[in-house]
Amino acid sequence: MCKSKEHCVLKTRELYQCNRCHHQTSLTTGTIMESTKLSFKTWFLAMFLMTQTKNGISALELSRQLGISYNASWRLKHKLMQVMKERDDSHPLTDDVQIDDAYWGGEKHGGKRSQGSENKHPFVAAVQTNDDGHPQYMRLSMVTRFRKKELELWAQKHLAGSPC
Ligand SMILES: [Zn+2]
C-alpha cells in the first residue's frame, strides 16, 4: 500500500482501488467478515440473536432465523464466538472482580444428581464490576475440578496482575 489517498470505487465488486498503485481493498478486509457472501444485515442480526438469547442459540435455530443454510450459520456462529473469545483472552478482568464456583447441567434423566454426577460441569463464574457495583465484563470458564492448581492457572490467564 502506497499511502496515496486518491482512490476509485469499483462498483461491480464493491472494492476500493488506489489510483496510484491499483491496490484493492474492501470494507471487510481484515475483519471476520472478509470475503463473506452474507450481507451485513445477516451478520448484525446474527450478533443480535446470539447475544440476546438467554440460553444461547444453536446453529440450526440461527439458520432458521436468518434464512441461511445450516453450514453457513454454523461458520458464522463459530467466527463470532472465536472473536468474542479472542477479545476476552486479550482483556483480563481487573479492579473489583467477584468470583464464584458453579455447576452447569446435571439434570440428565435417570442420572445421579449429586455433585459427582457425570453430566455436571464445574465452571468458574467471574464478574468485573465498576464503582457502582454494576457488572462490566464477565468470564465463564469450564474447569475439570475446583483444584488450587487449576484455579491458579485460571487466575493467571483471566485476572490482571498476580493473584494474592
Ligand atoms: Zn496506492
Side-chain angles (χ1 to χ4, degrees), residues 106 108 112 114-121:
K108 194 176 171 185
K112 292 178 287 179
S114 67
Q115 286 204 344
S117 170
E118 289 165 34
N119 209 32
K120 250 181 178 179
H121 302 285

Side-chain angles (χ1 to χ4, degrees), residues 27-63:
L27 287 177
T28 56
T29 303
T31 75
I32 49 164
M33 293 176 243
E34 186 164 348
S35 61
T36 184
K37 290 187 183 78
L38 303 170
S39 70
F40 283 139
K41 215 168 106 184
T42 302
W43 277 90
F44 290 118
L45 186 53
M47 289 175 203
F48 175 79
L49 293 169
M50 279 176 66
T51 53
Q52 298 306 307
T53 45
K54 214 172 178 182
N55 299 313
I57 188 165
S58 68
L60 185 63
E61 181 58 22
L62 201 58
S63 77

Side-chain angles (χ1 to χ4, degrees), residues 95-153:
D95 299 327
D96 290 330
V97 180
Q98 299 177 27
I99 304 176
D100 206 353
D101 57 331
Y103 287 90
W104 181 61
E107 286 177 32
K108 194 176 171 185
H109 290 288
K112 292 178 287 179
R113 295 190 74 165
S114 67
Q115 286 204 344
S117 170
E118 289 165 34
N119 209 32
K120 250 181 178 179
H121 302 285
F123 66 91
V124 176
V127 179
Q128 178 184 325
T129 53
N130 64 9
D131 292 341
D132 302 322
H134 292 137
Q136 302 297 296
Y137 302 103
M138 67 185 289
R139 205 60 46 85
L140 300 171
S141 316
M142 201 95 92
V143 289
T144 41
R145 267 185 213 180
F146 294 117
R147 275 195 183 146
K148 192 172 174 240
K149 186 78 204 154
E150 192 164 351
L151 294 183
E152 274 173 6
L153 289 172

Side-chain angles (χ1 to χ4, degrees), residues 63 68-76:
S63 77
I68 59 176
S69 74
Y70 175 79
N71 282 342
S73 151
W74 191 91
R75 280 198 307 273
L76 173 61

